[in-house]
Amino acid sequence: MKSIYKTALIISALVAVWVYITIGYPHLNLIPWVGFVAWAAYFAAGGTTKAAKCSFIAGVVAILLTAFILYMVKLAGGSLTSMLILIPILSFILVSMAQFKNLSYTPGAFLGAACFFGTGGNVDLSILFILLSWISGIILGIVSVNLDKLTTIAKR
């Protein structure tokens, strides 16, 4: 079997598991698409241990910073003016984080922020489920790479 097909089958099986868990058990409050975004962020960062670390840290920090900024927007009255001041400050921070080694994956930071915005931007318990979904996506990426390696070693 061609390597790409083997990889595609492994990832497809993991996708099925993720969909089953997130849709089949809605009480877990996991967000399917956030997991997929984090999974993609992991692969875009290189699909390595370093990629897992940088996509995890950048994404989690960005989700938390975005929650904080949106909380500040709410405190400022939630007006367009408050958004036009505070959200660009968020983007400045997300880009500036790149000067720190563990926060240098700027695309991961913006993807994490986008996930928070995309889930409604509510500053409540849902933050926990966004974080859990993000972390699950990175774990799925790690598992998919390791299963791919494992099946390659077993083939030899």
Side-chain angles (χ1 to χ4, degrees), residues 60-75:
V60 167
V61 168
I63 290 165
L64 295 173
L65 281 171
T66 305
F68 173 74
I69 290 293
L70 289 182
Y71 178 74
M72 297 305 290
V73 166
K74 184 178 178 182
L75 285 181

Side-chain angles (χ1 to χ4, degrees), residues 64-125:
L64 295 173
L65 281 171
T66 305
F68 173 74
I69 290 293
L70 289 182
Y71 178 74
M72 297 305 290
V73 166
K74 184 178 178 182
L75 285 181
S79 67
L80 178 60
T81 302
S82 64
M83 287 184 218
L84 288 173
I85 293 168
L86 293 170
I87 294 174
I89 289 172
L90 172 64
S91 68
F92 180 86
I93 294 168
L94 294 177
V95 172
S96 297
M97 289 183 340
Q99 67 185 309
F100 303 104
K101 183 180 178 185
N102 288 330
L103 296 171
S104 64
Y105 186 41
T106 304
F110 274 88
L111 289 168
C115 285
F116 188 81
F117 282 115
T119 57
N122 298 316
V123 182
D124 56 20
L125 187 60

Side-chain angles (χ1 to χ4, degrees), residues 1 6 26 30 42 52 65 79 87-88 123-124 126 128 142 149:
M1 178 184 305
K6 177 180 62 85
L30 293 170
Y42 165 75
L65 281 171
S79 67
I87 294 174
V123 182
D124 56 20
S126 66
L128 175 65
I142 294 166
K149 287 179 184 175

